[in-house]
């Protein structure tokens, strides 16, 4: 027993001695490090002596580098580079980039050789981690909230969310709830980056309000003259220059490749590619999160002997930084968009040899790009043209990225497509300045102020009506008898309309009974009540005809808060300080010394997709065509930039004999063609611009109708509309369904 106790004591003593030795060693190391950190050491690049604690160790050469000379890189691009942050001295940066570039090219060549030998291994699936999945899903949820919270006063966000339906439906704050605000952000971002003189005016609340009313005016101009878009392309002889059908079919086919490039991973893109282009293989797929280093996909078809370099549009904030890097950069015999020139040069260095080898193997090389990718593809095409004589580029939503000197070189090797009001191809220094001048010219400012006053008075009138109802109480005379089948059916139809507008059924029932069946009054009452209070309890339904006075007072108070928010929101938008007033009269000259910017153009032959009677048509246009040089104030100017919008428009443009009915002019009708009511019956604001926005065309019959009578969305394949479009209730009654698609009965009353 004593021997065992002695052995245990000996082991414990040895363990304690070992622990103490390690601790002393650690303390010694820490002391030595502290002494080193407190010493002066020279920088490997500049040679200046700095305190050791303030210096970095180069990841590559392990030499010390000062703060001024160190280069921080999140990672290097390509399949061979380690995905970790790097701290490099300036001497190691070019050496490491060259080594990684050579390794990347070698790996790509191996996949190319495997493809040519018919031994290419497909990309394998990499399961998404729980963290990545949570971040992705939460990002989708927060996107809309970030858009609103970025433009509304922080203290009133909760109130604005409750009032969201009311404001979006009835007021100019529709700008803060959809893609129009994203377009506005693009304009402001470009102006700030390039220091355009109009930047200060863009931040003016007068511009924010004027843009909304300008959209209403533009909507009215197109409605009064339905063939206005076609007139812009009509030649003196009366014809419209159009691309050949083969070109349109090719463009429609290539949109499938671009839709593949939207996938978040190579495996997903590979899976979708098998459906979009059977028989093709995904040779390379690299996604980048660094600026000036574009993402790309290389798709090859062995049977067609075709290779497609697919360049997607803006995918992340790094791509947005490339978009805004819009200063001039020397390129060949002219100038190009700096960010896109740098991206094209990187692609030429990394992918040029691969594309040239495919060309020597007999493959037809085509570059396909959307948005940012289209601009990069145009410049890359010019760089590869001396090596690949047959190379061709197709761009969708191509931004203006080359000057006039480079235009002739691209006319024979590129086609650019611009979809209707797409803002991205039109976004330039010149177009932004012209938009500001048109919105803030004295005449337009006067109209904006008059319309704002008129709309504000309409809101005040609504407050007065609510106050009168609060004092007198709603009348219960003439309430519909629930035992009457016809009245019950009519009430149910009105309930369905209110519920489709977002009103809960219990609130809709109470509002209808309180308004004696008046649908318009019920809509306003239900909306005001939704803003003013939470959902009603069951006890509120017991006496629907006599709501308590405090509830009505709360509704009136809520309307007052809404009116105040609507009136003050433009002054509380958290933009940087800028002139808020508008001087009527001559505009002051631009400040001396302001930067002069080269005018850029859309590269290649331009195909403009416009609309005639609601159906997309195609016209050939010069890069300097006026319709492509100005920003069109439209509610769809960013929606038209989406790939899905391009695919749909090209599908319609391929219809050889359009059968869409001729549209009526807004001037032909003072009242809705279906219900005979005023078009703005469901809107509080009553300015001329708002009245124009309340008019719509039924795409099935071409008549001018109100929003309430055209909420149905149906596809009309026989007219060229393969996706559901706005259809009025009268056309719906004369429609038969064949294979799930609506067909208008010929000979019906239109």
């Amino acid at each position: 027993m004593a021997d065992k106790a002695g052995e245990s004591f000996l082991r414990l003593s040895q363990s304690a001695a070992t622990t103490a030795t390690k601790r002393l060693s650690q303390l010694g190391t820490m002391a030595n490090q502290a002494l080193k950190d407190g010493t002066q050491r020279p920088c490997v690049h500049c040679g200046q002596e700095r305190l050791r604690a303030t210096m970095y160790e180069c990841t590559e050469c392990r030499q010390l580098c000062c703060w001024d000379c160190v280069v921080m890189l999140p990672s290097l691009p390509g399949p061979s580079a380690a995905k970790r942050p790097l701290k490099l001295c300036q001497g190691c940066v070019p050496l490491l980039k060259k080594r990684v570039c050579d390794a990347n090219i070698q790996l790509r060549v191996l996949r190319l050789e495997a493809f040519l030998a018919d031994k290419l291994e497909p990309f394998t699936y990499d399961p998404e981690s729980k963290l990545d999945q949570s971040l992705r899903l939460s990002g989708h949820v927060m996107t809309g909230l970030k858009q609103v919270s970025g433009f509304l006063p922080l203290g009133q966000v909760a109130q604005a969310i409750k009032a969201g339906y009311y404001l979006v439906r009835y007021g100019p704050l529709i700008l803060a709830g959809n893609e129009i605000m994203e377009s506005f952000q693009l304009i402001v971002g470009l102006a700030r980056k390039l220091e355009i003189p109009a930047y200060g005016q863009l931040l003016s609340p007068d511009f924010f309000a004027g843009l909304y009313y300008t959209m209403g005016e533009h909507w009215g101009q197109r409605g009064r003259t339905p063939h206005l878009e076609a007139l812009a392309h009509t030649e003196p002889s009366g014809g419209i220059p159009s691309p050949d059908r083969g070109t349109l079919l090719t463009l429609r086919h290539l949109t499938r490749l671009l839709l593949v490039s939207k996938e978040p991973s190579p495996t997903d893109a590979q899976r979708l590619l098998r459906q979009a282009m059977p028989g093709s293989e995904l040779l390379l797929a690299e996604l980048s999160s660094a600026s000036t280093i574009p993402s790309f996909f290389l798709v090859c078809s062995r049977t067609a002997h075709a290779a497609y370099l697919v360049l997607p549009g803006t995918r992340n904030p790094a791509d947005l930084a490339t978009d805004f890097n819009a200063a001039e950069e020397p390129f060949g015999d002219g100038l190009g968009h700096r960010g896109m020139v740098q991206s094209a040069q990187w692609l030429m260095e990394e992918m040029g040899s691969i594309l040239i080898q495919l060309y020597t193997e007999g493959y037809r090389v085509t570059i396909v790009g959307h948005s940012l990718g289209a601009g990069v593809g145009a410049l890359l095409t010019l760089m590869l043209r001396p090596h690949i004589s047959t190379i061709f580029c197709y761009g969708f939503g191509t931004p203006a990225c080359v000057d006039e000197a480079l235009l002739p070189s691209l006319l024979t090797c590129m086609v650019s497509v611009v979809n209707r009001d797409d803002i991205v191809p039109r976004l330039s220094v010149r177009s932004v300045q012209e938009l500001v001048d048109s919105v803030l010219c004295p005449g337009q400012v006067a109209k904006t102020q008059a319309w704002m006053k008129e709309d504000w008075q309409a809101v005040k009138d609504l407050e007065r009506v609510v106050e009168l109802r609060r004092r007198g109480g709603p009348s219960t005379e003439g309430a519909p008898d629930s035992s009457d089948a016809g009245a019950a059916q009519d009430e149910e139809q009105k309930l369905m309309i209110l519920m489709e507008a977002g009103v809960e059924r219990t609130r809709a029932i109470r509002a209808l009974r309180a308004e004696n069946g008046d649908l318009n009054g019920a809509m306003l009452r239900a909306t005001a009540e939704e803003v003013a209070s939470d959902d009603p309890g069951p006890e509120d339904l017991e006496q629907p005809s006599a709501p308590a006075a405090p509830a009505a007072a709360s509704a009136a108070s809520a309307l007052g808060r809404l009116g105040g928010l609507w009136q003050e929101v433009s002054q509380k938008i958290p933009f940087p300080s800028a002139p808020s007033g508008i001087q009527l009269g001559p505009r002051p000259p631009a400040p001396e010394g302001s930067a002069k910017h080269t005018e850029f153009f859309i590269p290649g032959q331009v195909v403009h997709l416009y609309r005639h009677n609601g159906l997309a048509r195609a016209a050939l246009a010069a890069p300097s065509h006026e319709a492509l040089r100005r920003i069109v104030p439209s509610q769809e100017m960013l929606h038209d930039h989406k790939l899905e919008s391009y695919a749909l428009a090209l599908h319609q443009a391929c219809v050889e004999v359009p059968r869409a009915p001729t549209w009526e002019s807004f001037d032909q009708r003072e009242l809705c063609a279906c219900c005979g009511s005023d078009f703005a019956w469901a809107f509080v604001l009553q300015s001329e611009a708002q009245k124009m926005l309340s008019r719509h065309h039924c795409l099935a019959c071409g008549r001018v109708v109100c929003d309430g009578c055209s909420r149905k969305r149906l596809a009309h394949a026989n007219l060229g509309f393969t996706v559901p479009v706005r259809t009025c209730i009268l056309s719906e009654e004369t429609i038969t369904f064949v294979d799930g698609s609506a067909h208008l009965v010929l000979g019906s009353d239109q």
Side-chain angles (χ1 to χ4, degrees):
M1 181 68 69
D3 294 339
K4 290 183 179 180
E7 291 176 0
S8 299
F9 178 76
L10 182 61
R11 284 196 300 270
L12 290 174
S13 300
Q14 291 175 346
S15 176
T18 303
T19 303
T21 303
K22 290 182 178 179
R23 181 58 180 165
L24 288 174
S25 177
Q26 291 175 356
L27 291 174
T29 302
M30 293 172 62
N32 291 333
Q33 185 65 35
L35 290 174
K36 290 181 180 179
D37 291 346
T39 60
Q40 297 282 336
R41 301 291 294 276
C43 172
V44 68
H45 182 71
C46 65
Q48 295 184 3
E49 291 193 354
R50 302 291 179 88
L51 192 65
R52 171 64 180 83
T54 64
M55 303 180 75
Y56 294 92
E57 187 179 81
C58 175
T59 309
E60 184 68 12
C61 65
R62 300 300 178 183
Q63 298 294 321
L64 295 178
C65 187
C66 68
W67 173 261
D68 296 330
C69 299
V70 71
V71 178
M72 302 286 191
L73 295 177
S75 65
L76 289 176
S80 67
K83 305 304 178 185
R84 68 176 190 274
L86 300 173
K87 300 173 184 176
L88 302 171
C89 64
Q90 295 187 14
C92 290
V93 171
L95 298 176
L96 183 59
K97 285 186 175 181
K98 176 62 176 174
R99 189 171 73 247
V100 171
C101 177
D102 293 341
N104 290 339
I105 294 175
Q106 185 176 1
L107 290 177
R108 296 180 188 122
V109 169
L110 290 176
R111 283 193 62 86
L112 174 59
E113 292 175 349
F115 167 76
L116 295 175
D118 200 10
K119 297 180 180 179
L120 182 65
E121 292 290 334
F123 289 95
T124 56
Y125 177 70
D126 185 14
E128 186 178 38
S129 66
K130 292 292 185 181
L131 177 61
D132 292 339
Q133 186 181 40
S134 300
L135 291 175
R136 175 172 56 83
L137 295 177
S138 62
H140 294 329
V141 173
M142 294 300 295
T143 298
L145 294 179
K146 287 193 299 182
Q147 290 180 357
V148 175
S149 62
F151 291 92
L152 289 178
L154 186 60
Q156 301 186 29
V157 168
Q159 177 184 348
I161 291 175
K162 290 180 64 177
Y165 170 75
Y166 183 91
L167 293 172
V168 167
R169 182 169 178 81
Y170 299 120
L173 278 181
I174 187 175
L175 291 174
N178 58 19
E179 295 164 343
I180 299 173
M181 183 51 66
E182 296 182 28
S183 303
F184 184 73
Q185 288 175 299
L186 285 177
I187 296 172
V188 173
L190 179 66
R192 180 176 63 245
K193 186 70 177 180
L194 296 181
E195 300 179 355
I196 299 176
Y199 175 56
Q201 297 167 314
L202 276 171
L203 302 183
S204 165
D206 298 282
F207 177 79
F208 187 78
L211 183 62
Y212 173 79
Y213 289 113
T214 303
M215 289 179 183
E217 271 194 299
H218 189 264
W219 179 269
Q221 290 172 1
R222 284 182 170 176
R224 290 191 174 103
T225 311
H227 57 285
L228 185 62
E229 295 181 60
L231 284 176
H233 295 285
T234 303
E235 295 179 331
S237 60
I240 297 178
S242 303
D244 60 88
R245 180 171 172 78
T247 299
L248 292 176
L249 291 174
T250 300
L251 292 170
R252 187 180 71 174
H253 176 70
L254 292 177
T255 55
R256 301 176 185 175
L257 284 178
L258 287 171
L259 290 172
V260 170
S261 69
K262 293 183 63 177
E263 294 300 311
S265 68
T267 310
D268 293 329
Q270 181 177 253
R271 173 179 49 81
L272 187 58
L273 179 64
R274 292 168 182 165
Q275 306 172 21
M277 188 177 289
S280 59
E281 297 183 60
L282 186 59
L283 180 56
L284 297 173
E286 297 183 20
L287 304 179
S288 169
S289 59
S291 61
T292 72
I293 299 178
S295 303
F296 66 88
F297 298 80
L298 183 59
V299 178
C300 294
S301 173
R302 189 176 288 104
T303 56
H305 266 68
Y308 301 93
L309 180 64
V310 184
L311 305 175
T314 303
R315 296 174 61 100
N316 49 51
D319 290 340
L320 195 61
T322 304
D323 290 333
F324 285 155
N325 190 9
E328 303 88 354
E329 180 81 6
F331 185 83
D333 297 330
L335 298 172
H337 181 291
R338 176 175 296 170
M340 297 178 191
V341 167
Q342 294 173 355
S343 296
Q345 290 171 343
W346 184 89
L347 272 176
M348 183 64 185
E349 183 180 2
E350 297 274 341
M351 286 293 297
S353 59
I354 302 293
L355 297 176
I356 293 173
Q357 185 174 349
L358 281 169
Y359 173 68
T360 58
E361 294 288 341
Y363 282 78
R364 185 181 68 256
V365 179
T366 303
I367 298 177
V368 185
H370 171 244
S371 189
L372 170 64
V376 174
L379 298 169
L380 180 62
T381 300
L382 286 179
M383 299 174 73
L384 286 170
R385 194 74 187 278
H387 309 282
I388 306 176
S389 59
T390 59
I391 192 171
F392 205 88
C393 180
Y394 294 94
F396 299 81
T398 312
C401 58
V402 296
D403 69 348
E404 195 171 4
L406 295 177
L407 278 180
S409 304
L410 286 162
L411 287 176
T412 57
C413 60
M414 182 173 184
V415 171
S416 292
V417 188
V418 178
N419 183 29
R420 206 189 186 198
D421 298 332
D422 187 352
I423 186 177
V424 172
R426 299 174 168 89
L427 202 57
S428 66
V429 175
R430 173 180 177 268
S431 63
V432 170
Q433 187 65 56
E434 288 183 352
L435 176 66
V436 174
D437 291 341
S438 64
V439 172
L440 297 183
C441 68
Q444 190 66 35
V445 168
K447 288 194 292 185
T448 297
Q449 293 174 348
W451 286 335
M452 288 188 69
K453 182 179 180 181
E454 186 177 355
D455 284 338
W456 179 240
Q457 185 59 46
V459 174
K460 299 299 291 183
D461 290 343
L462 178 62
E463 293 178 352
R464 182 179 60 82
V465 171
V466 173
E467 179 65 18
L468 290 176
R469 289 188 178 278
R470 183 188 69 81
R471 293 178 180 179
S475 174
T476 58
E477 297 179 3
D481 186 1
S482 59
S483 62
D484 184 78
Q489 184 178 5
D490 181 63
E491 182 180 9
E492 187 64 27
Q493 291 178 350
K494 293 178 180 178
L495 285 175
M496 292 299 296
I497 294 176
L498 290 173
M499 292 168 64
E500 287 179 1
V503 181
E504 293 185 356
R505 184 177 180 85
T506 53
R507 182 174 285 116
I509 293 174
R510 182 173 58 256
L512 268 178
R513 294 177 181 175
E515 296 293 337
N516 298 328
D518 180 21
L519 182 61
N520 297 352
M523 175 75 77
L524 297 178
R525 173 176 286 274
T527 307
E529 185 178 337
E530 183 178 356
V531 172
S533 61
D534 295 329
D535 293 340
E539 64 276 9
D540 295 330
L541 291 177
E542 296 178 1
Q543 296 179 349
S545 60
S554 177
S557 175
L559 285 175
R561 293 197 304 272
L562 286 175
L565 176 61
W566 177 78
Q567 186 183 38
E568 298 172 6
V569 67
S570 61
Q571 300 176 2
K572 294 186 178 181
I573 294 176
F575 285 141
S577 59
S580 59
I582 297 298
Q583 298 291 334
L584 297 179
R587 189 171 302 281
E592 295 183 3
S594 58
K596 301 293 183 181
H597 296 279
T598 302
E599 187 173 3
F600 285 155
F601 297 87
I602 301 172
Q605 304 178 48
V606 182
V607 176
H608 185 211
L609 302 174
Y610 64 95
R611 287 188 194 172
H612 184 58
N613 295 328
L615 197 68
R617 301 280 84 196
L620 289 174
S624 58
H625 195 286
E626 185 59 27
L628 306 175
R629 304 296 295 154
R630 66 176 186 274
I631 297 175
V632 181
S634 164
Q635 299 180 40
E636 297 181 344
M637 55 186 175
L638 195 61
H639 180 270
D640 287 339
H641 185 64
K642 293 182 177 180
L643 263 178
E644 294 79 3
S645 299
Y646 273 88
L648 177 61
L650 284 167
H651 183 86
Q652 294 179 356
C654 289
V655 176
E656 293 186 87
V657 183
R659 300 185 60 193
T662 302
W663 278 11
E664 292 180 343
S665 169
F666 281 179
D667 294 333
Q668 291 181 242
R669 291 191 183 272
E670 294 294 332
L671 302 175
C672 173
C674 292
C675 65
S677 302
D678 185 81
F679 293 101
W681 64 268
F683 294 85
V684 173
L685 307 185
Q686 296 295 318
S687 64
E688 182 64 24
Q690 185 65 40
K691 289 180 179 179
M692 289 295 104
L693 289 172
S694 64
R695 303 187 182 202
H696 304 276
H697 281 101
C698 169
L699 274 73
C701 65
R703 289 174 289 204
V704 183
V705 293
C706 67
D707 180 69
C709 293
S710 57
R711 292 175 180 166
K712 196 73 173 180
R713 300 295 186 269
L714 296 174
H716 306 279
N718 61 325
L719 302 179
F721 303 109
T722 56
V723 298
V725 293
R726 184 182 294 273
T727 305
C728 70
I729 55 178
L730 292 182
S731 295
E732 183 184 358
E733 295 174 355
T734 59
I735 282 175
T736 59
F737 288 86
V738 179
D739 297 331
S741 179
H743 290 260
L744 196 65
V745 178
L746 297 178
S748 61
D749 181 19
Q750 295 187 3

